[in-house]
Amino acid sequence: MDVATVEALRERHRVVRANQNEVLAVRLHRAISWLHRAGQDNGDDDARFILLWIAFNAAYAGEFDGEQSERQRVADFISRLVAVDSQQQLHRLLFQQFSGPVRLLIDNRYVFAPFWRALRDHDSSDRWKQRFDASRKAAMDAALGQRTAELLSIVLDRLYVLRNQLVHGGATWNSSINRAQLRDGCALLSALLPAMISLMMETDAFSDDAIAYPVVPEYSTTRKSTVAVVSTTPCSQGPATATETVAPTD
């Protein structure tokens, strides 16, 4: 990931943040912060992928109300991004710059969730294979039809399996087994996320989206630090607090 690209995003967001509502400003601030951190782990694909996924989560995730599945949230997010992508940035990344890695991910059964479910359930039928072939065909049809949102949703669905393997301890750190898909996943997310964040800055289409864990107002302008107090009064308990006024950032 180009460090200059992330720095450009940070500078641009500093300029436009004053004109954004607080929710969108915080969402983008969080996403850019994790994207910046991911750029510092170029030698560790495992850590880098996790950090990139956190940045992606920060960009799209909303309240965990159970009304939408994660897949539905991602599909809705991607659909809206593509709708405002007048310069077809995402389209070019998928169909031109990363067409090879995209095809390899689509053809890789180890990043296809039904394969692992069949293995876990000792399902010896070919149901997972039938679904895999159907998914590959859907991806190919989307590619041939130049349907960016559909293909990107399938790609992110594959990367979500890779994310689960890492986050839930289903892979060894720096393992040789999953290096290819991790390298491709890092390369894809490193290119897609700056484009996504840039598009979000250009539109108000995401301004009304609630964020998970919003900044609590009383803590956005005041930082409290605790100071241990030794008291000779037997019934005196708890720390004393000191307050410091800070800038209202996340």
Side-chain angles (χ1 to χ4, degrees):
M1 177 167 44
D2 188 349
V3 174
T5 300
V6 180
E7 286 302 320
L9 283 174
R10 294 176 79 178
E11 288 301 320
R12 184 177 168 198
H13 189 230
R14 289 189 183 104
V15 172
V16 303
R17 181 169 182 160
N19 296 320
Q20 295 173 336
N21 69 30
E22 183 180 358
V23 172
L24 180 59
V26 169
R27 179 185 294 279
L28 291 172
H29 175 70
R30 289 173 174 176
I32 294 170
S33 73
W34 287 106
L35 184 62
H36 177 261
R37 179 63 183 84
Q40 301 173 19
D41 272 289
N42 290 328
D44 187 339
D45 286 336
D46 299 271
R48 187 177 173 215
F49 184 88
I50 291 170
L51 291 165
L52 286 167
W53 196 271
I54 295 174
F56 178 54
N57 252 123
Y60 85 84
E63 294 178 333
F64 301 102
D65 53 16
E67 293 182 6
Q68 273 189 313
S69 69
E70 202 69 12
R71 183 174 293 175
Q72 288 173 323
R73 288 185 194 277
V74 172
D76 176 67
F77 176 69
I78 295 305
S79 177
R80 288 188 290 159
L81 277 177
V82 171
V84 300
D85 188 8
S86 58
Q87 301 299 314
Q88 294 193 314
Q89 299 178 60
L90 299 174
H91 180 91
R92 289 197 302 273
L93 287 172
L94 282 180
F95 292 93
Q96 296 176 22
Q97 186 173 346
F98 290 101
S99 59
V102 165
R103 178 178 53 79
L104 291 173
L105 276 172
I106 297 300
D107 289 342
N108 189 337
R109 64 180 179 175
Y110 299 114
V111 286
F112 186 63
F115 167 77
W116 294 106
R117 283 197 292 271
L119 195 66
R120 178 195 65 203
D121 298 338
H122 306 288
D123 183 355
S124 58
S125 71
D126 285 335
R127 283 193 294 268
W128 80 264
K129 183 68 165 58
Q130 293 168 7
R131 294 181 65 182
F132 184 56
D133 291 341
S135 177
R136 291 173 63 204
K137 183 179 184 303
M140 184 177 296
D141 289 346
L144 292 173
Q146 303 284 292
R147 297 193 296 274
T148 306
E150 185 176 341
L151 181 59
L152 183 51
S153 292
I154 294 173
V155 168
L156 290 171
D157 199 47
R158 295 290 203 273
L159 293 179
Y160 185 67
V161 176
L162 185 57
R163 171 261 187 204
N164 287 343
Q165 290 176 352
L166 293 175
V167 172
H168 297 293
T172 302
W173 174 77
N174 203 30
S175 170
S176 60
I177 295 175
N178 61 359
R179 284 307 93 185
Q181 52 260 48
L182 260 177
R183 282 194 298 268
D184 288 342
C186 285
L188 274 164
L189 289 177
S190 292
L192 288 168
L193 282 168
M196 291 176 176
I197 292 169
S198 178
L199 287 169
M200 292 174 73
M201 286 193 215
E202 295 173 358
T203 178
D204 59 0
F206 302 90
S207 296
D208 295 329
D209 292 4
I211 56 173
Y213 308 104
V215 178
V216 180
E218 59 263 34
Y219 291 108
S220 65
T221 56
T222 302
R223 179 187 298 135
K224 293 190 175 183
S225 59
T226 59
V227 180
V229 176
V230 178
S231 175
T232 57
T233 306
C235 63
S236 178
Q237 295 179 353
T241 61
T243 61
E244 175 191 0
T245 302
V246 296
T249 58
D250 178 23

